[in-house]
Amino acid sequence: MNKNTIIGFALMGLVLIAFSIYNQPSEEQLATQRKQDSIEHAARLQAETARQVEEATKKAQALEAVRNDTTALFYQALNGTNQQVVLKNDKLELTIDTKGGVVKKARILNFEDRKGNKDVTLFEGNEQEMNFMLAGKTTNILTNELYFTPSGMTDSTVTLTANAANGGSLQLTYTLGKDYLLHMALQAKGLSGIFAPNYREMDIEWSEKCRQQEKGFMFENRYATLTYKEKDGGTDYLNETSEKIDEPIEERLDWVAFKNQFFSAVLIAKEDINAGALMTSVPMEKPAKEVAEKQETYLKHYRAKMKTAFDPTGVKPSEFELYIGPNDFRLLQDIEEESSFGKELELERLVYLGWPLFRIINRWFTLYVFDWLTGFGFNMGIVLILITLLLKAITYPLVKKTYLNSAKMRVLKPKLDEATKQYNKPEDQMMKQQAMMSLYSQYGVSPLSGCLPMLIQMPIWIAMFNFVPNAIQLRGESFLWINDLSTYDPILEWNTNIWLIGDHLSLTCILFCVANILYSIMSMRQQKDQMVGQQAEQMKMMQWMMYLMPLMFFFMFNDYSAGLNFYYFISLFFSAAIMWVLRKTTNDEKLLAILEARYKENKANPKKMSGLAARLAAMQKEAEELKKQREARH
């Protein structure tokens, strides 16, 4: 890596740090800000309460209107007793309430939750609501107001019926598959007369309070998103950090997902979700630790208002599939095969693997290696180490070539010092650079190749940055001192949130930052050994800037998963080890002899020099001529 590149990276880091320090508020400003935040928070709560009251009032009015509309038609179904119908297999347990006829509780079995319970409860009670709304000519029907009668109950199936006064009925049928997929069908029988002749779609309103399932609230919140799949396109999601209320979606959709970091509830429509759906995602504030330990806390409030096909004649039911389960890439691929709708669902996109380049690396390399290694039954910490070793082995030839090029620059340093000592004046710096580049070319050395190790590692680092936090296989897995590789590993915790740090210190984050400092020292030393003249002095001035980068990483990664920090730590450790071994096994005298032989060969036969080398030599000769002319004039 050349001087300008290093200076560029260092200055970017320095600007970020200086900006952060400059904008750090004083204690007085913090107190004022806290007071202002409290006022704003109270105002938001008041506004939210007012909005909820307004919505509740409108809903009550609408329900009253529905009751008035449907009293004659569904007078029996408007009153009744709640019954709980349980559908269960060895992976999922769903509780369906006959009031409204929808799933009111979902337990994903054999996944321990953050409080130590053996199963994860994705939602329960009023945390999840789904309402089907049918608009007749003079009668409106809301399913959440109706009491359904169950029949045909088994461990995997149930039919719920709301009878109408005219002899017709509204029927909901549920069939639980072998794992996490629930088939739903809504059918109106004998009710065609209450709908307009051109009535062909119904409304669905679905909402959920997204529970905190993992220890790290802030980290989990980054990966909890309302996601949807466009009919003729890819997937998209609402911004995970900002509030979005009734965001319009202009495309037809295959499915909508209320996503946690590791679990999702996905509504799939057989006849598509019509264009114009309205999506809402409202992030919640992080609760105090003592509050989170005593009661359920929520990451976000989700809501989707949708329309889909409906046959008022009752010949064709409106069919849906509800996936309630883990965000496991391979499992989600299999769900598409299990689905009876024949769509390209691409549910595996719920496992975010990064932007296109990084997604390709994760999709076609990391996942296959990860599956292969986990197939041996290795501990997940060992799997991360083995993946790191494999990546280092693959990139080793290019890293070695890059290192040798840097070593060539190091052994040529005395010759460069001698060849450029005449260009010590400030106005001669351009000629000095040209002289250095010309000499490098004559010896067959490329000074730009020092950047290659970083260019090689960065795509892999970023790919793993996306892969590790989304790998459910790391959830709950312990390694050495780490209790759970999917969340932070605190060596010290406290109740007060400290600016930029939070409420804990993560040991793997500290190890990563320390390893980063040591690796920076080794890299800077190597760069210094090949710097010439003023470059070496400039390197001394910028060293401290490079050492501030690990400090920035600490503030960024203290809240991240231990698995990701551990991967970065061992990656830097092996990078440093490779650099040390190459340094010890490189014979500088032999390397210099090889370079001298190449230099003599190029001098003896200039035509064999590369085009770049020839051009640099010509530029150097021209610069020397200009210098002589300038000296002659003075």
Side-chain angles (χ1 to χ4, degrees):
M1 185 183 300
N2 62 21
K3 176 191 68 174
N4 292 334
T5 306
I6 296 174
I7 293 174
F9 278 117
L11 288 178
M12 284 190 290
L14 182 61
V15 168
L16 289 173
I17 294 170
F19 182 77
S20 176
I21 295 173
Y22 177 77
N23 284 276
Q24 181 177 357
S26 65
E27 287 299 323
E28 182 179 351
Q29 290 173 322
L30 283 171
T32 303
Q33 185 63 43
R34 282 192 290 267
K35 182 178 179 180
Q36 182 65 28
D37 288 345
S38 299
I39 294 172
E40 291 177 357
H41 179 57
R44 284 197 301 271
L45 288 177
Q46 185 177 1
E48 178 66 16
T49 302
R51 186 178 66 82
Q52 291 176 356
V53 169
E54 183 181 358
E55 286 187 356
T57 302
K58 291 180 179 179
K59 186 175 181 180
Q61 292 171 348
L63 292 178
E64 185 62 27
V66 169
R67 284 183 176 274
N68 294 334
D69 286 341
T70 61
T71 298
L73 186 61
F74 282 99
Y75 68 92
Q76 290 180 324
L78 286 173
N79 296 284
T81 304
N82 292 56
Q83 297 182 52
Q84 307 298 312
V85 179
V86 177
L87 304 182
K88 184 177 180 180
N89 55 29
D90 59 354
K91 297 181 180 179
L92 185 63
E93 180 182 289
L94 303 175
T95 301
I96 299 173
D97 195 334
T98 57
K99 171 68 182 299
V102 294
V103 179
K104 299 297 286 186
K105 181 178 180 180
R107 290 176 61 228
I108 302 173
L109 307 180
N110 305 315
F111 285 91
E112 187 174 300
D113 70 6
R114 66 187 177 95
K115 296 183 179 180
N117 299 313
K118 66 175 183 178
D119 304 317
V120 166
T121 299
L122 195 62
F123 54 79
E124 184 176 11
N126 294 328
E127 292 173 349
Q128 199 271 161
E129 295 181 353
M130 185 179 292
N131 187 20
F132 299 97
M133 295 169 281
L134 309 173
K137 290 181 290 187
T138 60
T139 301
N140 295 318
I141 304 172
L142 273 66
T143 58
N144 65 355
E145 281 296 299
L146 302 179
Y147 287 85
F148 290 80
T149 302
S151 62
M153 289 184 291
T154 67
D155 285 344
S156 60
T157 61
V158 65
T159 298
L160 301 174
T161 305
N163 293 312
N166 67 349
S169 65
L170 197 62
Q171 194 172 86
L172 279 165
T173 304
Y174 289 95
T175 304
L176 180 61
K178 62 183 180 180
D179 41 40
Y180 302 103
L181 200 62
L182 177 70
H183 186 274
M184 307 163 53
L186 176 66
Q187 191 170 16
K189 295 184 176 181
L191 299 177
S192 59
I194 72 170
F195 299 106
N198 60 346
Y199 184 70
R200 290 293 182 270
E201 66 178 11
M202 67 175 175
D203 292 89
I204 306 172
E205 186 168 331
W206 183 32
S207 64
E208 181 186 320
K209 293 180 180 179
C210 179
R211 277 191 179 191
Q212 178 188 353
Q213 301 290 355
E214 315 304 325
K215 180 171 66 175
F217 181 94
M218 300 301 295
F219 187 65
E220 184 183 5
N221 218 348
R222 293 186 183 100
Y223 297 93
T225 58
L226 191 156
T227 308
Y228 51 90
K229 162 70 167 54
E230 297 174 2
K231 172 68 177 176
D232 299 315
T235 57
D236 205 348
Y237 59 91
L238 299 188
N239 188 285
E240 64 272 19
T241 59
S242 61
E243 182 178 287
K244 299 292 183 181
I245 297 178
D246 289 342
E247 188 81 6
I249 309 300
E250 302 302 330
E251 297 81 10
R252 294 176 67 86
L253 305 178
D254 284 327
W255 51 259
V256 175
F258 294 164
K259 178 180 176 294
N260 288 62
Q261 183 180 2
F262 292 123
F263 304 97
S264 291
V266 187
L267 181 66
I268 307 165
K270 182 176 183 178
E271 300 296 331
D272 305 339
I273 296 166
N274 295 343
L278 301 176
M279 305 294 178
T280 295
S281 176
V282 180
M284 299 291 101
E285 293 187 358
K286 181 179 180 180
K289 184 175 292 186
E290 58 270 18
V291 173
E293 291 173 352
K294 294 178 181 178
Q295 64 187 48
E296 292 300 336
T297 55
Y298 303 101
L299 305 172
K300 291 181 174 70
H301 288 182
Y302 294 137
R303 185 177 70 242
K305 298 177 181 178
M306 304 164 281
K307 293 180 182 292
T308 191
F310 173 72
D311 180 8
T313 67
V315 175
K316 185 177 182 181
S318 297
E319 295 185 72
F320 308 90
E321 286 173 335
L322 188 61
Y323 173 83
I324 300 176
N327 299 330
D328 184 310
F329 191 92
R330 299 302 185 194
L331 172 64
L332 290 168
Q333 284 183 314
D334 294 339
I335 290 298
E336 185 166 318
E337 300 298 323
E338 185 181 338
S339 172
S340 61
F341 295 165
K343 290 186 171 186
E344 294 184 6
L345 297 176
E346 297 185 86
L347 284 173
E348 67 272 13
R349 288 297 188 101
L350 289 170
V351 182
Y352 183 68
L353 298 179
W355 292 351
L357 171 62
F358 314 121
R359 178 177 175 79
I360 290 171
I361 294 173
N362 284 326
R363 175 68 181 85
W364 301 108
F365 175 79
T366 311
L367 270 169
Y368 282 98
V369 173
F370 192 78
D371 291 343
W372 176 58
L373 293 174
T374 53
F376 291 104
F378 292 134
N379 178 279
M380 288 301 155
I382 300 297
V383 169
L384 290 175
I385 294 174
L386 292 176
I387 288 177
T388 307
L389 287 173
L390 180 60
L391 290 171
K392 295 300 179 186
I394 292 173
T395 58
Y396 177 76
L398 192 53
V399 169
K400 181 179 179 181
K401 183 178 180 180
T402 301
Y403 175 81
L404 288 176
N405 199 75
S406 297
K408 293 173 185 177
M409 294 170 65
R410 183 180 69 249
V411 299
L412 287 176
K413 183 176 180 297
K415 294 185 176 295
L416 263 75
D417 288 336
E418 180 65 26
T420 60
K421 65 181 180 180
Q422 56 182 314
Y423 305 113
N424 288 327
K425 297 179 181 179
E427 61 269 19
D428 294 337
Q429 291 306 304
M430 179 63 71
M431 288 185 288
K432 184 174 185 177
Q433 289 292 331
Q434 291 175 348
M436 291 169 56
M437 294 297 292
S438 176
L439 194 60
Y440 279 139
S441 297
Q442 291 170 16
Y443 277 97
V445 177
S446 172
L448 299 178
S449 64
C451 295
L452 284 179
M454 179 176 290
L455 296 177
I456 295 167
Q457 293 185 66
M458 284 305 292
I460 297 173
W461 273 46
I462 297 174
M464 293 300 287
F465 177 85
N466 289 298
F467 177 80
V468 173
N470 290 291
I472 194 172
Q473 292 83 354
L474 299 181
R475 186 180 185 272
E477 290 292 318
S478 61
F479 181 66
L480 299 177
W481 69 88
I482 306 170
N483 293 325
D484 186 349
L485 285 164
S486 70
T487 187
Y488 60 83
D489 57 322
I491 56 170
L492 187 63
E493 293 184 275
W494 53 87
N495 291 325
T496 305
N497 190 64
I498 299 178
W499 183 66
L500 289 180
I501 297 178
D503 57 7
H504 65 273
L505 289 177
S506 173
L507 179 55
T508 50
C509 179
I510 294 173
L511 291 175
F512 160 45
C513 293
V514 170
N516 203 345
I517 292 174
L518 296 177
Y519 184 74
S520 296
I521 291 173
M522 294 182 67
S523 299
M524 296 289 286
R525 184 175 297 172
Q526 180 174 317
Q527 294 290 332
K528 182 180 178 181
D529 289 343
Q530 64 193 43
M531 294 297 179
V532 178
Q534 292 183 354
Q535 290 180 336
E537 297 300 320
Q538 293 171 350
M539 180 65 70
K540 293 179 181 178
M541 297 174 59
M542 60 182 291
Q543 279 180 347
W544 67 273
M545 303 180 192
M546 298 297 293
Y547 298 149
L548 287 176
M549 294 299 291
L551 182 63
M552 292 178 59
F553 284 140
F554 170 76
F555 293 132
M556 292 172 58
F557 286 88
N558 188 48
D559 201 39
Y560 273 65
S561 69
L564 183 63
N565 281 318
F566 181 71
Y567 166 76
Y568 285 157
F569 163 65
I570 57 177
S571 179
L572 284 169
F573 174 81
F574 286 126
S575 294
I578 290 171
M579 187 182 297
W580 183 84
V581 170
L582 289 173
R583 185 77 169 86
K584 291 296 183 181
T585 56
T586 301
N587 189 315
D588 288 0
E589 293 181 358
K590 290 183 178 179
L591 187 60
L592 182 59
I594 293 172
L595 292 174
E596 290 290 359
R598 184 179 301 169
Y599 177 78
K600 291 178 181 178
E601 183 180 354
N602 287 335
K603 280 290 187 181
N605 188 3
K607 293 183 179 180
K608 294 188 65 176
M609 294 177 64
S610 68
L612 176 61
R615 287 194 297 272
L616 288 171
M619 290 173 61
Q620 174 62 18
K621 185 175 181 181
E622 182 180 349
E624 289 177 353
E625 290 294 331
L626 289 174
K627 183 181 180 183
K628 290 179 181 179
Q629 294 175 9
R630 188 173 67 245
E631 290 176 348
R633 286 197 298 268
H634 292 286

